[in-house]
Amino acid sequence: MDSSKTASDGVLLPERRRVGLLYDERMCKHFDATDHPENPNRILAIWNKLESFGIHQRCVILNAKEADDKHIALVHTRSHVDFIKNISSQKFGSKWDRIAARFNSIYFNEGSSEAAYLAAGSVVEVAEKVAKGELDSAFAIVRPPGHHAEANEPMGFCLYNNVAIATSFLLNERTELGIKKILVVDWDVHHGNGTQKMFYKDSRVLFFSVHRHEFGCFYPGGDDGSYVMIGEGPGAGYNINVPWENRSCGDADYLAVWDHILIPVAKAFDPDMVIISAGFDAAVNDPLGGCCVSPYGYSIMLSKLMEFAEGKIVMALEGGYNLKSLANSALACIQVLLGDKPIVRSLQADPFESTWRVLEAVREALSAFWPILAKKLPEELTSKRTSLILIPCSDSEDEYDNGPNTTSEDYEAAIEHVIEPLQNLEVDDGHGTELTNGPNTTSEDYEVAIEHVIEPLQNLKVENGHDQAIAFSSSWRSELSKIDIWYATYGSNMRESRFLCYIEGGQVEGMQKQCVGSVDKSPPKESCWRTFPHRLFFARDYTATWGPGGVAFLHPESNSEDKAYLRLYRITLEQFNDVLVQENILSSRTGPLFGLKDLQSIEDKKCISIEAIKRGWYHNVLYLGKEDNLPVITMTCTLYSVDNFKSGKFPMCAPGRGYANTLIKGLVEGNRLSNEEAVAYIEEASTKKL
């Protein structure tokens, strides 16, 4: 197909690319009454952004179509199809919450069935039009997302697997269109477990997923996202997982994967079409992803994929929960589909050390199937790396339904302070015309200005591995290292060997991830046991450190009828800050979270909620009195969280076996309670209502 035309002066000009854009507000009818991250505002934000830039005027606007049951049944069981089809009927109306609770991170309402059918059918619609040649490429702005949905069950906000349905439709139902090999690229921050399973034995589909994995601790968890999952039977070698070991991966990390794994393999595979599970939750500031990919990064990743299948690319929206970064990233990608060139800039940051380690492991696992990967990457390349900070998983980390939306606070704050003023940026283009962020500009000046401030922020990247030391600014450490406090523990830290993980590093049995420890790894000077008139209770329902089950909290208000056993450790205020960081999954900071002024005022204030870690579960520092004239402090939730636990907005749950055993051992090993008494104490705290 000739993609050019001749201007009146004889110059050959590129023909405008025909890009399909599909959006339908009916998909907004699927929503949860609570403040759920997967909500209608996601697609509204994208559409509004595209309209403000006039993108819709440059695209072919398509109407959504509901999927046919027979097409859905290509990848889903008949029982699952029937279940989703009927879930929104009135007979289930009073049972939606109870039914949803049977699944992993799912909700239902009266609009769920229609939205699921529209999302799946819309991806099929745009894929078919691209395959026919009616469109060069397309973007389906759909929800609910799909890549977690498995053959027989919904999960992870996903009801039907939209991309898998469209892929199977082209390969099995429309063979006359000549699409025999499809590259499915899943760049959502979560592993595309459902899509992987549906094509695990199929050599016609090269499935590639780059995702935060953290050795199976990050959602959806388990080993499915490991690099050793390479496919089976005829599909061996056609399943590629790039599992990040840590949060905060950004442009440099993703582009290293593109250059040294995906692009070489894609050239050998030579697909007839590329379908992208386009989740934007690896974007800067996403509350669930914790990574740092910029709109520029997404545009470059997409540009590199445009080299394949004559640019026949279908993008289907998956995740992405920060409305600004979601909309900006989607805009950047659609501009690439239209043929706009990304603003050229250099990457000042290098990939993480862990990124090179993962790349080498993936290449080795797949080298037998893709000889291009057999060659070892040169040292002069892999030596270019960023390795700054590691903060391990702790009791406070998990996904939306299971924990706080933890992110790199300092990184996000810096981004917000810089980006916010640029949203209304007006720049003179040099011809006396002011350029504004609107539909009549290509926003080059805006993007260049963004790049000037984004570049330095690349160096704020942080690492969450297993073999690095915490690297914080040390100007405050010498001062706080001279101040002793009593840190009062009521959860797993009652067991000394567990608490030492936060000081010396390491892990004890039952823990699924290691701790890095503190900068000062000196053991506590002494410890003792005391009882306090506070309520011990268990809430949340999953942690990356301990798996399923609730974790301990201390009610911040005292009550003479309550009695909690706490083990006190005499440590420095410097060490307390490092424990506070690790408990709340903060990835970066330049000073103490709880300093001398806080210590001096907490006796009067009784508690101090730390703004920098407000998304953590244990950001409320609580004063409990004095011991040997030293302040006794602990960390717990706020009264606001307690109210949410009472109302059911945040889950309450008994502790899992491994976590409960650690608490019991702590009480027994400390000679505080007998085994029977410890079991009874934990059981009462688990069952007694707030």
Side-chain angles (χ1 to χ4, degrees):
M1 181 175 62
D2 187 3
S3 60
S4 59
K5 61 182 179 179
T6 304
S8 57
D9 57 2
V11 177
L12 199 64
L13 300 174
E15 185 177 327
R16 177 171 151 182
R17 284 181 57 81
R18 294 168 298 174
V19 176
L21 198 59
L22 191 149
Y23 168 80
D24 195 314
E25 286 192 4
R26 286 180 292 170
M27 284 179 273
C28 293
K29 295 178 183 178
H30 171 66
F31 64 89
D32 187 64
T34 64
D35 187 20
H36 200 284
E38 206 299 285
N39 61 66
N41 290 330
R42 298 178 60 242
I43 61 174
L44 289 169
I46 294 175
W47 185 252
N48 290 339
K49 173 65 73 172
L50 300 182
E51 281 194 322
S52 72
F53 275 79
I55 296 297
H56 63 301
Q57 298 173 358
R58 302 172 59 193
C59 295
V60 179
I61 306 302
L62 304 172
N63 295 320
K65 291 179 62 176
E66 290 194 0
D68 290 337
D69 284 354
K70 64 180 181 179
H71 298 153
I72 301 172
L74 292 170
V75 297
H76 289 289
T77 62
R78 175 56 61 181
S79 61
H80 180 69
V81 175
D82 292 340
F83 172 69
I84 298 300
K85 175 188 285 188
N86 296 307
I87 191 59
S88 291
S89 63
Q90 288 301 317
K91 67 177 181 178
F92 293 116
S94 62
K95 305 175 184 177
W96 283 324
D97 289 345
R98 193 165 71 232
I99 295 171
R102 291 164 32 199
F103 303 105
N104 188 335
S105 302
I106 286 295
Y107 67 80
F108 299 116
N109 77 333
E110 64 273 8
S112 298
S113 296
E114 182 181 20
Y117 270 84
L118 287 170
S122 296
V123 181
V124 169
E125 174 75 0
V126 297
E128 184 176 27
K129 287 187 178 297
V130 172
K132 286 179 177 179
E134 295 176 9
L135 297 171
D136 295 307
S137 57
F139 194 119
I141 309 170
V142 297
R143 61 175 296 273
H147 69 148
H148 291 310
E150 300 195 347
N152 61 348
E153 68 174 306
M155 68 176 288
F157 311 161
C158 304
L159 305 185
Y160 284 144
N161 196 314
N162 310 318
V163 163
I165 293 168
T167 299
S168 189
F169 169 77
L170 292 179
L171 293 174
N172 298 305
E173 295 292 301
R174 298 304 308 271
T175 55
E176 74 278 9
L177 297 178
I179 304 298
K180 299 178 181 179
K181 294 184 294 181
I182 296 177
L183 167 62
V184 175
V185 176
D186 190 332
W187 68 40
D188 189 281
V189 79
H190 304 94
H191 178 239
N193 55 289
T195 314
Q196 170 174 296
K197 292 179 180 179
M198 291 167 178
F199 301 110
Y200 202 62
K201 299 180 181 181
D202 195 336
S203 61
R204 299 173 300 172
V205 178
L206 175 61
F207 176 69
F208 171 89
S209 178
V210 54
H211 49 271
R212 196 173 152 193
H213 187 245
E214 297 183 15
F215 308 96
C217 290
F218 193 71
Y219 194 88
D223 296 329
D224 285 344
S226 170
Y227 67 84
V228 301
M229 304 296 288
I230 61 172
E232 190 176 311
Y238 292 90
N239 195 88
I240 303 177
N241 286 323
V242 180
W244 297 139
E245 295 178 356
N246 48 268
R247 65 172 63 235
S248 301
C249 292
D251 294 357
D253 305 284
Y254 278 77
L255 294 178
V257 172
W258 254 238
D259 291 342
H260 303 297
I261 295 178
L262 177 56
I263 299 305
V265 172
K267 287 180 179 178
F269 181 65
D270 191 22
D272 300 311
M273 179 180 284
V274 179
I275 300 181
I276 301 174
S277 273
F280 295 105
D281 42 7
V284 169
N285 223 18
D286 188 273
L288 299 191
C291 287
C292 306
V293 180
S294 70
Y296 170 79
Y298 284 114
S299 70
I300 295 301
M301 289 192 287
L302 181 57
S303 296
K304 291 176 180 287
L305 293 174
M306 292 283 285
E307 301 173 9
F308 301 101
E310 298 179 338
K312 291 181 180 177
I313 291 183
V314 171
M315 302 185 70
L317 182 65
E318 298 284 2
Y321 307 99
N322 178 284
L323 300 184
K324 287 182 181 178
S325 61
L326 170 64
N328 288 334
S329 300
L331 169 64
C333 287
I334 295 172
Q335 287 174 325
V336 170
L337 295 182
L338 286 166
D340 298 349
K341 299 296 183 183
I343 300 299
V344 178
R345 72 174 178 91
S346 62
L347 288 175
Q348 297 298 318
D350 294 311
F352 287 131
E353 180 180 16
S354 61
T355 295
W356 292 122
R357 184 166 58 247
V358 169
L359 261 63
E360 292 281 17
V362 174
R363 287 169 61 93
E364 182 177 354
L366 291 160
S367 60
F369 305 95
W370 307 100
I372 190 67
L373 301 182
K375 186 177 180 181
K376 190 171 179 62
L377 295 175
E379 174 64 25
E380 58 266 27
L381 177 66
T382 59
S383 63
K384 297 178 180 179
R385 59 200 184 197
T386 298
S387 183
L388 295 180
I389 299 174
L390 131 126
I391 296 296
C393 294
S394 83
D395 292 349
S396 63
E397 180 175 6
D398 202 78
E399 290 300 297
Y400 167 77
D401 285 332
N402 306 317
N405 301 334
T406 55
T407 51
S408 174
E409 291 282 348
D410 288 336
Y411 186 89
E412 292 181 5
I415 290 289
E416 284 300 314
H417 284 305
V418 177
I419 295 298
E420 287 287 355
L422 291 173
Q423 299 304 315
N424 299 314
L425 179 69
E426 295 187 357
V427 193
D428 195 302
D429 66 355
H431 301 286
T433 304
E434 284 191 343
L435 301 178
T436 61
N437 185 354
N440 298 322
T441 70
T442 60
S443 74
E444 287 199 7
D445 291 278
Y446 173 80
E447 291 179 17
V448 169
I450 290 285
E451 299 311 325
H452 281 306
V453 295
I454 288 292
E455 290 283 3
L457 292 174
Q458 300 300 321
N459 294 324
L460 288 175
K461 290 174 62 179
V462 295
E463 173 117 30
N464 179 5
H466 291 297
D467 54 0
Q468 314 289 320
I470 300 179
F472 298 132
S473 172
S474 61
S475 60
W476 53 273
R477 288 188 174 274
S478 59
E479 184 178 28
L480 299 193
S481 67
K482 302 170 186 175
I483 309 298
D484 281 359
I485 55 97
W486 290 100
Y487 168 42
T489 65
Y490 51 84
S492 60
N493 287 333
M494 291 187 296
R495 190 180 182 195
E496 185 173 16
S497 57
R498 161 63 174 123
F499 175 63
L500 289 177
C501 296
Y502 279 151
I503 301 297
E504 300 175 351
Q507 64 191 107
V508 297
E509 69 273 14
M511 290 173 60
Q512 299 181 16
K513 294 203 68 174
Q514 314 184 47
C515 295
V516 63
S518 303
V519 170
D520 178 0
K521 300 186 182 298
S522 304
K525 296 178 177 67
E526 56 182 311
S527 70
C528 62
W529 287 86
R530 297 290 182 266
T531 58
F532 292 89
H534 287 262
R535 166 72 195 281
L536 176 72
F537 66 94
F538 295 91
R540 306 292 183 173
D541 57 8
Y542 186 93
T543 62
T545 298
W546 300 99
V551 290
F553 291 92
L554 196 71
H555 198 299
E557 288 187 338
S558 62
N559 187 329
S560 59
E561 297 180 1
D562 292 322
K563 183 170 74 170
Y565 297 97
L566 277 66
R567 186 169 191 169
L568 281 55
Y569 296 96
R570 185 175 173 179
I571 59 175
T572 68
L573 191 55
E574 177 197 7
Q575 290 176 314
F576 177 76
N577 271 270
D578 285 346
V579 175
L580 192 61
V581 165
Q582 294 176 78
E583 280 280 19
N584 288 281
I585 319 300
L586 181 63
S587 300
S588 167
R589 81 184 191 277
T590 58
L593 297 172
F594 187 85
L596 281 176
K597 289 184 179 179
D598 298 313
L599 188 64
Q600 291 164 357
S601 64
I602 196 169
E603 184 174 353
D604 293 328
K605 294 181 177 179
K606 302 306 179 187
C607 64
I608 294 176
S609 179
I610 301 174
E611 182 69 16
I613 49 174
K614 63 182 179 180
R615 295 184 180 183
W617 292 353
Y618 298 98
H619 68 274
N620 188 28
V621 178
L622 183 66
Y623 176 76
L624 296 172
K626 287 189 175 182
E627 179 75 20
D628 294 336
N629 209 34
L630 293 177
V632 178
I633 56 178
T634 190
M635 59 186 80
T636 185
C637 62
T638 61
L639 285 173
Y640 173 78
S641 293
V642 171
D643 290 340
N644 283 322
F645 292 136
K646 289 179 179 178
S647 69
K649 183 176 181 180
F650 297 163
M652 295 191 68
C653 185
R657 179 178 299 177
Y659 184 70
N661 285 342
T662 299
L663 272 64
I664 292 167
K665 286 181 179 179
L667 290 161
V668 174
E669 291 173 3
N671 296 318
R672 194 60 184 172
L673 297 174
S674 68
N675 189 78
E676 293 75 17
E677 291 171 332
V679 170
Y681 172 66
I682 298 302
E683 185 174 350
E684 181 183 10
S686 305
T687 56
K688 185 179 178 181
K689 291 186 177 180
L690 282 174

